[in-house]
Amino acid sequence: IMKYLFFLIPFLAKAQTIILLDSLTHQPIPSVLIENEKGELLTLSGEKGEVNLALLGETAYTSHLSFAPKKIIKNKLKNGQSLLLTSREYSLPEVIITKKPYDYTCLKSYIRTFVYSENTPLYYTEGWVDFYVPKKGRLLKYKIISLRCYENTKNEKLIAIKKGVSIAGSNGLINFLTTNYFPLDDKNYKLIPQEAGNFSISYRLQDGAGTIYKKGNRYSCTLNLLFPKKTKEGSFAGRKNTIHNIELYQEFPSYSDFNSLEKTDFISYRYLVNMDTSYKKKTINITSISEIYPVEQTKIRKEDLKGISLESFYGGMLHSVYIEKFPELEENIAINIPILQSLIGKDLTLIPE
């Protein structure tokens, strides 16, 4: 990690940068999406919250599930200037606990997924899903209540990409269900107590994997899942992938006991992956984001599932599901993403059931 910092310092000295900070903790915010008015992804903030001004147009916007969007006007900024992002507030999910032994925790959740290809919105999905997280094992089951799935049908470059085999034909939900499981219970990660009830996170006894900061009525946790590596190489379905960023961001209630935390105790969840994928010498960049907002948590037994049809098959979701059941979003989870949502009905078209 120190080698990386020594490399980063001279880079920051040359580039014109700003730093994004949490308005409550004044800690840097990594992996904030920086978009233009067309919804195109210009860049992500770095590990130390840094944003290269050279990559921005005259006007840009921030996007992150835990912070209110902020408009950035380039010519009003100075090199090295800090921008404070205001934290959002969420109501805690209702928890229904039974004293009886249980087999699953049911999370009634609002979910969102975003997929950008070559920095342009490719897919967007929002909806309601009941997740059944097993007390033992990792066989996640789920019941889709309602999904609205959108795809970009206007961008000619993306149309060509989708017709090719260099990208999987999926709106991103499959990626979330198969690879973005709930909080990691990997014993390689350890919490190191810091001042004011905060923690740093080490991986295999090497500090620098992440942080946990207390702010208001919740904790915010940022975990770099590539650490200590800078990139990760792999292959899937004939494609070669180079992963540049995997970040897990979660929020927990302020009363959380991190020594006995359960998989489903989070208030909000965000999983971000940025990668280059190649097929037959053609390479494209993909950024995929998954978010969850639980509204109710219930402990249940297997016998309580009789008559409930659950899914565990992880096929691609290429269409909307039960649109007519889509409930009105409650105010505490109706988190606006104004730039992306402004594209719905224009560049982003609803995929029918």
Side-chain angles (χ1 to χ4, degrees), residues 14 41 56 81 104 120 126 137 140 175 177-178 189 256 262 276 297 328 339:
K14 295 178 182 179
L41 182 60
L56 310 187
Q81 182 175 339
Y104 291 92
T120 302
E126 63 176 346
L140 176 69
N175 299 328
L177 291 174
T178 56
Y189 291 99
S256 298
E262 295 192 14
D276 291 327
Q297 180 187 131
E328 290 297 323
I339 299 300

Side-chain angles (χ1 to χ4, degrees), residues 28-307:
I29 312 171
S31 299
V32 177
L33 276 67
I34 311 297
E35 301 174 302
N36 62 17
E37 64 279 358
K38 297 179 181 179
E40 295 170 336
L41 182 60
L42 303 176
T43 187
L44 298 171
S45 61
E47 184 179 350
K48 301 300 179 182
E50 71 278 6
V51 177
N52 186 347
L53 287 174
L55 300 177
L56 310 187
E58 289 305 312
T59 304
Y61 303 84
T62 66
S63 179
H64 191 291
L65 80 88
S66 187
F67 300 91
K70 192 177 188 71
K71 186 176 181 179
I72 299 175
I73 301 177
K74 186 175 178 178
N75 61 14
K76 293 186 177 181
L77 299 173
K78 297 179 180 180
N79 183 38
Q81 182 175 339
S82 296
L83 285 185
L84 299 181
L85 301 189
T86 304
S87 295
R88 303 180 191 267
E89 293 293 335
Y90 309 116
S91 298
L92 300 182
E94 180 183 358
V95 179
I96 302 174
I97 301 177
T98 175
K99 294 183 179 180
K100 298 179 181 179
Y102 69 93
D103 301 298
Y104 291 92
T105 299
C106 176
L107 285 182
K108 293 184 177 296
S109 305
Y110 169 66
I111 66 103
R112 286 197 307 225
T113 65
F114 316 77
V115 178
Y116 296 85
S117 176
E118 296 297 299
N119 297 340
T120 302
L122 179 61
Y123 293 107
Y124 170 61
T125 299
E126 63 176 346
W128 293 86
V129 177
D130 290 352
F131 295 103
Y132 291 82
V133 184
K135 184 178 182 181
K136 297 181 180 180
R138 296 179 64 85
L139 182 57
L140 176 69
K141 293 181 179 291
Y142 62 92
K143 180 179 177 62
I144 296 175
I145 305 304
S146 180
L147 286 180
R148 289 173 175 167
C149 301
Y150 301 87
E151 66 176 334
N152 194 321
T153 59
K154 306 295 184 181
N155 188 292
E156 294 183 1
K157 184 176 182 180
L158 292 184
I159 292 173
I161 289 174
K162 287 188 289 186
K163 288 181 179 179
V165 290
S166 57
I167 181 172
S170 165
N171 63 15
L173 187 65
I174 179 174
N175 299 328
F176 162 68
L177 291 174
T178 56
T179 62
N180 309 345
Y181 200 64
F182 296 109
L184 295 180
D185 41 11
D186 189 331
K187 295 181 180 179
N188 288 311
Y189 291 99
K190 302 294 183 184
L191 301 186
I192 303 172
Q194 305 291 323
E195 296 181 354
N198 301 321
F199 299 88
S200 63
I201 304 175
S202 67
Y203 179 74
R204 294 183 176 177
L205 303 181
Q206 186 174 352
D207 198 11
T211 58
I212 297 177
Y213 286 102
K214 189 173 183 179
K215 54 180 188 179
N217 68 343
R218 63 193 190 276
Y219 284 98
S220 63
C221 173
T222 302
L223 186 61
N224 177 2
L225 298 181
L226 279 183
F227 182 85
K229 297 180 179 179
K230 305 300 181 294
T231 60
K232 182 179 180 180
E233 305 288 337
S235 60
F236 178 74
R239 295 188 296 273
K240 293 182 179 180
N241 301 321
T242 301
I243 300 176
H244 302 289
N245 188 3
I246 309 179
E247 184 195 86
L248 177 64
Y249 180 92
Q250 293 175 279
E251 294 182 321
F252 301 93
S254 58
Y255 54 77
S256 298
D257 180 358
F258 287 97
N259 293 315
S260 59
L261 201 65
E262 295 192 14
K263 300 175 184 177
T264 53
D265 285 344
F266 58 87
I267 303 171
S268 62
Y269 171 109
R270 178 188 192 244
Y271 188 100
L272 179 147
V273 178
N274 176 265
M275 60 185 284
D276 291 327
T277 182
S278 301
Y279 185 84
K280 293 184 178 180
K281 299 182 179 181
K282 180 179 181 181
T283 301
I284 58 174
N285 181 263
I286 299 289
T287 299
S288 176
I289 302 170
S290 303
E291 298 177 353
I292 317 172
Y293 307 87
V295 296
E296 185 179 303
Q297 180 187 131
T298 309
K299 308 295 186 183
I300 60 175
R301 296 296 307 269
K302 285 184 179 179
E303 51 264 32
D304 297 329
L305 296 178
K306 291 181 179 179

